[in-house]
Amino acid sequence: MTESSEKRIQQAIDNFKEGYGCCQSVVAAFCDLYGLDRTMALRISAGFGGGVGRMRLICGAASALVILAGLHQGQTKGDDPAGKAECYKLVQQLLATFKERNASIICSELLGIAAQKKAAGDTTPEPDERNAEYYKVRPCARMVASSARIFAEFLESQTTK
């Protein structure tokens, strides 16, 4: 892992510790590579926190990989099925790696939230307070680091081809 990649991974973790959502933290750490300013990156990725709008669906850190894959090689023409397939292939590869390393891409599963609690409607839009206990029990910072590492590894693999 290059020093530059390690800095991006640390930036993603620092972003999360500053209060940004999982998706925001990772996307903002790589946005400059795609000509996207930090503010726009934060806005684009804001709704993916808490497993998409705090509904505990796909993990925000995993969602960041989807956004970054699109920025890296998303097709820009509607009639480009080959380009769309290449983007989908990259998304599937990145998410498969995330799942392999973290056992799931689903927020509620990563958090260990029981299905019945989720079904009972624990989808308030209010974020949990970020305090010492939050950081102690939540795997989110690890998921952010994992996602950033996966994308950094992907980028490094592209430069060695």
Side-chain angles (χ1 to χ4, degrees), residues 108-161:
S108 62
E109 293 174 7
L110 294 166
L111 293 176
I113 297 173
Q116 43 292 32
K117 182 178 179 186
K118 186 176 173 229
D122 184 30
T123 57
T124 173
E126 303 304 321
D128 292 328
E129 181 183 346
R130 299 279 184 100
N131 54 32
E133 183 63 19
Y134 176 94
Y135 290 111
K136 182 178 163 185
V137 301
R138 290 295 180 99
C140 304
R142 286 192 328 270
M143 297 304 109
V144 164
S146 178
S147 179
R149 183 168 303 284
I150 290 164
F151 199 71
E153 289 169 354
F154 162 73
L155 290 176
E156 286 185 11
S157 76
Q158 298 302 291
T159 60
T160 59
K161 286 185 177 181

Side-chain angles (χ1 to χ4, degrees), residues 7 24 50 54-55 90 109 160:
K7 284 181 180 178
Q24 288 177 303
R54 201 172 181 274
M55 293 189 301
L90 176 57
E109 293 174 7
T160 59

